[in-house]
PDB file of all heavy atoms in Angstrom:
ATOM      1  N   LEU A  80     -24.237 -23.606  11.538  1.00  0.00           N
ATOM      2  CA  LEU A  80     -25.527 -24.128  11.119  1.00  0.00           C
ATOM      3  C   LEU A  80     -25.469 -25.643  11.087  1.00  0.00           C
ATOM      4  O   LEU A  80     -24.505 -26.230  10.589  1.00  0.00           O
ATOM      5  CB  LEU A  80     -25.879 -23.596   9.736  1.00  0.00           C
ATOM      6  CG  LEU A  80     -27.272 -23.884   9.183  1.00  0.00           C
ATOM      7  CD1 LEU A  80     -28.336 -23.298  10.103  1.00  0.00           C
ATOM      8  CD2 LEU A  80     -27.408 -23.306   7.796  1.00  0.00           C
ATOM      9  N   PHE A  81     -26.510 -26.258  11.631  1.00  0.00           N
ATOM     10  CA  PHE A  81     -26.615 -27.700  11.605  1.00  0.00           C
ATOM     11  C   PHE A  81     -27.795 -28.075  10.727  1.00  0.00           C
ATOM     12  O   PHE A  81     -28.855 -27.459  10.816  1.00  0.00           O
ATOM     13  CB  PHE A  81     -26.811 -28.250  13.027  1.00  0.00           C
ATOM     14  CG  PHE A  81     -25.629 -28.003  13.904  1.00  0.00           C
ATOM     15  CD1 PHE A  81     -25.526 -26.818  14.631  1.00  0.00           C
ATOM     16  CD2 PHE A  81     -24.608 -28.931  13.989  1.00  0.00           C
ATOM     17  CE1 PHE A  81     -24.423 -26.572  15.432  1.00  0.00           C
ATOM     18  CE2 PHE A  81     -23.507 -28.696  14.785  1.00  0.00           C
ATOM     19  CZ  PHE A  81     -23.411 -27.514  15.507  1.00  0.00           C
ATOM     20  N   ARG A  82     -27.595 -29.071   9.921  1.00  0.00           N
ATOM     21  CA  ARG A  82     -28.654 -29.484   9.001  1.00  0.00           C
ATOM     22  C   ARG A  82     -28.848 -30.985   9.084  1.00  0.00           C
ATOM     23  O   ARG A  82     -27.868 -31.731   9.202  1.00  0.00           O
ATOM     24  CB  ARG A  82     -28.264 -29.118   7.578  1.00  0.00           C
ATOM     25  CG  ARG A  82     -29.362 -29.328   6.544  1.00  0.00           C
ATOM     26  CD  ARG A  82     -28.809 -29.295   5.125  1.00  0.00           C
ATOM     27  NE  ARG A  82     -28.422 -30.624   4.672  1.00  0.00           N
ATOM     28  CZ  ARG A  82     -27.997 -30.879   3.439  1.00  0.00           C
ATOM     29  NH1 ARG A  82     -27.870 -29.894   2.564  1.00  0.00           N
ATOM     30  NH2 ARG A  82     -27.663 -32.101   3.080  1.00  0.00           N
ATOM     31  N   LYS A  83     -30.084 -31.393   9.039  1.00  0.00           N
ATOM     32  CA  LYS A  83     -30.363 -32.827   8.970  1.00  0.00           C
ATOM     33  C   LYS A  83     -30.230 -33.273   7.531  1.00  0.00           C
ATOM     34  O   LYS A  83     -30.507 -32.505   6.600  1.00  0.00           O
ATOM     35  CB  LYS A  83     -31.775 -33.119   9.484  1.00  0.00           C
ATOM     36  CG  LYS A  83     -31.951 -32.888  10.969  1.00  0.00           C
ATOM     37  CD  LYS A  83     -33.347 -33.280  11.408  1.00  0.00           C
ATOM     38  CE  LYS A  83     -33.524 -33.066  12.896  1.00  0.00           C
ATOM     39  NZ  LYS A  83     -34.890 -33.411  13.341  1.00  0.00           N
ATOM     40  N   GLU A  84     -29.829 -34.495   7.382  1.00  0.00           N
ATOM     41  CA  GLU A  84     -29.723 -35.033   6.017  1.00  0.00           C
ATOM     42  C   GLU A  84     -31.058 -34.920   5.312  1.00  0.00           C
ATOM     43  O   GLU A  84     -32.112 -35.146   5.903  1.00  0.00           O
ATOM     44  CB  GLU A  84     -29.293 -36.506   6.083  1.00  0.00           C
ATOM     45  CG  GLU A  84     -27.811 -36.664   6.332  1.00  0.00           C
ATOM     46  CD  GLU A  84     -27.320 -38.068   6.026  1.00  0.00           C
ATOM     47  OE1 GLU A  84     -27.871 -38.703   5.116  1.00  0.00           O
ATOM     48  OE2 GLU A  84     -26.391 -38.510   6.699  1.00  0.00           O
ATOM     49  N   GLY A  85     -31.014 -34.533   4.027  1.00  0.00           N
ATOM     50  CA  GLY A  85     -32.235 -34.423   3.255  1.00  0.00           C
ATOM     51  C   GLY A  85     -32.856 -33.041   3.272  1.00  0.00           C
ATOM     52  O   GLY A  85     -33.824 -32.782   2.562  1.00  0.00           O
ATOM     53  N   GLN A  86     -32.299 -32.141   4.084  1.00  0.00           N
ATOM     54  CA  GLN A  86     -32.845 -30.789   4.164  1.00  0.00           C
ATOM     55  C   GLN A  86     -32.016 -29.823   3.332  1.00  0.00           C
ATOM     56  O   GLN A  86     -30.798 -29.955   3.235  1.00  0.00           O
ATOM     57  CB  GLN A  86     -32.834 -30.301   5.614  1.00  0.00           C
ATOM     58  CG  GLN A  86     -33.888 -30.912   6.496  1.00  0.00           C
ATOM     59  CD  GLN A  86     -33.848 -30.321   7.897  1.00  0.00           C
ATOM     60  OE1 GLN A  86     -32.829 -29.783   8.333  1.00  0.00           O
ATOM     61  NE2 GLN A  86     -34.959 -30.427   8.601  1.00  0.00           N
ATOM     62  N   ASN A  87     -32.711 -28.836   2.764  1.00  0.00           N
ATOM     63  CA  ASN A  87     -31.998 -27.725   2.132  1.00  0.00           C
ATOM     64  C   ASN A  87     -31.692 -26.677   3.201  1.00  0.00           C
ATOM     65  O   ASN A  87     -32.421 -26.547   4.189  1.00  0.00           O
ATOM     66  CB  ASN A  87     -32.865 -27.075   1.052  1.00  0.00           C
ATOM     67  CG  ASN A  87     -33.087 -27.985  -0.140  1.00  0.00           C
ATOM     68  OD1 ASN A  87     -32.521 -29.070  -0.221  1.00  0.00           O
ATOM     69  ND2 ASN A  87     -33.924 -27.537  -1.057  1.00  0.00           N
ATOM     70  N   VAL A  88     -30.617 -25.929   2.981  1.00  0.00           N
ATOM     71  CA  VAL A  88     -30.283 -24.846   3.894  1.00  0.00           C
ATOM     72  C   VAL A  88     -29.713 -23.693   3.085  1.00  0.00           C
ATOM     73  O   VAL A  88     -29.017 -23.915   2.090  1.00  0.00           O
ATOM     74  CB  VAL A  88     -29.291 -25.318   4.971  1.00  0.00           C
ATOM     75  CG1 VAL A  88     -27.961 -25.717   4.355  1.00  0.00           C
ATOM     76  CG2 VAL A  88     -29.080 -24.249   6.020  1.00  0.00           C
ATOM     77  N   THR A  89     -30.024 -22.468   3.506  1.00  0.00           N
ATOM     78  CA  THR A  89     -29.538 -21.284   2.787  1.00  0.00           C
ATOM     79  C   THR A  89     -28.605 -20.486   3.670  1.00  0.00           C
ATOM     80  O   THR A  89     -28.935 -20.158   4.813  1.00  0.00           O
ATOM     81  CB  THR A  89     -30.711 -20.410   2.329  1.00  0.00           C
ATOM     82  OG1 THR A  89     -31.515 -21.161   1.405  1.00  0.00           O
ATOM     83  CG2 THR A  89     -30.214 -19.155   1.629  1.00  0.00           C
ATOM     84  N   LEU A  90     -27.442 -20.168   3.108  1.00  0.00           N
ATOM     85  CA  LEU A  90     -26.452 -19.327   3.781  1.00  0.00           C
ATOM     86  C   LEU A  90     -26.556 -17.919   3.195  1.00  0.00           C
ATOM     87  O   LEU A  90     -26.590 -17.754   1.971  1.00  0.00           O
ATOM     88  CB  LEU A  90     -25.044 -19.886   3.574  1.00  0.00           C
ATOM     89  CG  LEU A  90     -24.833 -21.339   3.978  1.00  0.00           C
ATOM     90  CD1 LEU A  90     -23.396 -21.767   3.691  1.00  0.00           C
ATOM     91  CD2 LEU A  90     -25.164 -21.539   5.448  1.00  0.00           C
ATOM     92  N   SER A  91     -26.550 -16.951   4.086  1.00  0.00           N
ATOM     93  CA  SER A  91     -26.705 -15.567   3.647  1.00  0.00           C
ATOM     94  C   SER A  91     -25.352 -14.892   3.475  1.00  0.00           C
ATOM     95  O   SER A  91     -24.412 -15.149   4.247  1.00  0.00           O
ATOM     96  CB  SER A  91     -27.527 -14.806   4.694  1.00  0.00           C
ATOM     97  OG  SER A  91     -27.500 -13.413   4.441  1.00  0.00           O
ATOM     98  N   CYS A  92     -25.247 -14.015   2.474  1.00  0.00           N
ATOM     99  CA  CYS A  92     -24.063 -13.196   2.280  1.00  0.00           C
ATOM    100  C   CYS A  92     -24.514 -11.819   1.816  1.00  0.00           C
ATOM    101  O   CYS A  92     -25.194 -11.697   0.787  1.00  0.00           O
ATOM    102  CB  CYS A  92     -23.113 -13.808   1.259  1.00  0.00           C
ATOM    103  SG  CYS A  92     -21.651 -12.792   0.966  1.00  0.00           S
ATOM    104  N   GLU A  93     -24.147 -10.803   2.599  1.00  0.00           N
ATOM    105  CA  GLU A  93     -24.497  -9.424   2.277  1.00  0.00           C
ATOM    106  C   GLU A  93     -23.222  -8.577   2.297  1.00  0.00           C
ATOM    107  O   GLU A  93     -22.392  -8.738   3.182  1.00  0.00           O
ATOM    108  CB  GLU A  93     -25.472  -8.865   3.310  1.00  0.00           C
ATOM    109  CG  GLU A  93     -26.750  -9.669   3.481  1.00  0.00           C
ATOM    110  CD  GLU A  93     -27.790  -9.328   2.429  1.00  0.00           C
ATOM    111  OE1 GLU A  93     -27.767  -8.193   1.919  1.00  0.00           O
ATOM    112  OE2 GLU A  93     -28.620 -10.211   2.112  1.00  0.00           O
TER     113      GLU A  93
END
Side-chain angles (χ1 to χ4, degrees):
Chain A
L80 187 60
F81 295 88
R82 188 195 91 175
K83 292 183 179 179
E84 281 196 32
Q86 285 183 338
N87 292 355
V88 64
T89 297
L90 305 179
S91 169
C92 179
E93 304 277 333

